[in-house]
Amino acid sequence: KLKTILNQINPAARNLKVGLGSLVITEANRFYLSISLGKISIEGADFLVIAVNSPIGQELLNLKVTDQFSFNKKIHVIEEIL
């Protein structure tokens, strides 16, 4: 099942809304919507790798740059979607 989800990600796709495979940048965090792996570090940068069907993944789905959402009792603003 996890491989099926991973196979649906198109790394070349650029979307205006958050979806599977999106990297969401906020002022405080970087979220990657994929399968749930938790916090990972790459070259000194931390990423929260979350499942689309998780509560935070569901909250992020279909949001756009400048949209706001709540995470860890704080309001965050989406600065960039890659």
Side-chain angles (χ1 to χ4, degrees), residues 6-79:
L6 290 174
N7 285 335
Q8 294 174 10
I9 296 173
N10 178 357
R14 295 291 174 244
N15 297 308
L16 298 176
K17 293 183 180 180
V18 176
L20 181 65
S22 292
L23 176 60
V24 179
I25 310 292
T26 71
E27 72 288 349
N29 293 296
R30 295 174 192 93
F31 299 91
Y32 183 67
L33 276 74
S34 177
I35 59 174
S36 183
L37 294 177
K39 182 178 175 182
I40 63 170
S41 293
I42 300 173
E43 296 182 2
D46 292 335
F47 297 83
L48 297 172
V49 183
I50 59 174
V52 173
N53 63 352
S54 68
I56 185 62
Q58 287 295 299
E59 189 161 349
L60 286 169
L61 274 181
N62 296 313
L63 294 181
K64 301 174 293 215
V65 172
T66 72
D67 284 348
Q68 298 180 355
F69 65 97
S70 176
F71 178 67
N72 284 341
K73 300 181 183 180
K74 293 181 183 176
I75 300 296
H76 298 271
V77 178
I78 296 176
E79 296 178 345

